Amino acid sequence: DAFRHIIWNTLIGKYYGGKKKSVSKGVDMAREFTNIHEDCNRKANQPEYDQEMDYHNNWIGRDYFQSIASIKKKKRRFWFTKKWLECPSNSTIKSAIKKKVDGAKKVSKDVSAIKSVSKYTPVYYN
């Protein structure tokens, strides 16, 4: 579950940010889209600790995307400037996120237990 939430946010950021040629727009879209998803889960009576875990891992995905992506620019003729998002391949992203998740912390089904973990550490429970 942690892997799924982290990669989901990273890839939304990558593809939307690439389309808009903006890392911040990619992060904003990932946040907006996944927060709507989590809010719908809350309305469907998802336990509070489960929602907190999802928000935590979603944030890690967006933070990771910001750390690996950048907008590159190249001056063209006259007033034209070419812009593009530079980001690692999906397989590189997948491997890096898997390493992050391999170091995830198992927590109890309690909101305070999730909040006590570093915001950079993925969390999960059984």
Side-chain angles (χ1 to χ4, degrees):
D1 192 58
F3 177 84
R4 182 170 46 93
H5 282 269
I6 294 168
I7 200 158
W8 185 35
N9 277 266
T10 303
L11 293 179
I12 291 171
K14 178 180 178 179
Y15 288 105
Y16 191 79
K19 182 178 180 176
K20 296 297 183 179
K21 297 174 179 53
S22 169
V23 173
S24 64
K25 285 183 180 178
V27 169
D28 290 346
M29 176 56 78
R31 180 184 308 107
E32 184 177 335
F33 185 79
T34 59
N35 282 354
I36 289 169
H37 172 78
E38 301 309 341
D39 289 345
C40 288
N41 284 343
R42 185 184 71 237
K43 291 174 185 169
N45 295 323
Q46 178 187 29
E48 190 177 355
Y49 61 82
D50 196 36
Q51 187 179 20
E52 185 66 31
M53 179 186 68
D54 291 348
Y55 278 120
H56 179 94
N57 291 326
N58 288 346
W59 181 88
I60 292 171
R62 293 188 301 268
D63 182 67
Y64 174 66
F65 168 67
Q66 282 185 297
S67 75
I68 61 169
S70 62
I71 299 298
K72 299 295 181 182
K73 297 178 185 179
K74 183 175 183 181
K75 185 82 169 154
R76 304 296 276 216
R77 295 175 109 185
F78 307 107
W79 59 88
F80 295 107
T81 300
K82 180 179 178 177
K83 289 171 62 174
W84 68 96
L85 178 83
E86 189 165 276
C87 198
S89 70
N90 288 353
S91 61
T92 300
I93 290 170
K94 178 183 169 185
S95 296
I97 291 174
K98 177 150 181 1
K99 283 182 186 176
K100 281 182 175 293
V101 172
D102 286 345
K105 180 165 174 70
K106 184 178 178 180
V107 295
S108 62
K109 294 179 179 181
D110 180 63
V111 171
S112 62
I114 295 163
K115 287 183 175 184
S116 71
V117 177
S118 165
K119 66 182 181 177
Y120 300 101
T121 303
V123 294
Y124 72 99
Y125 61 84
N126 281 343

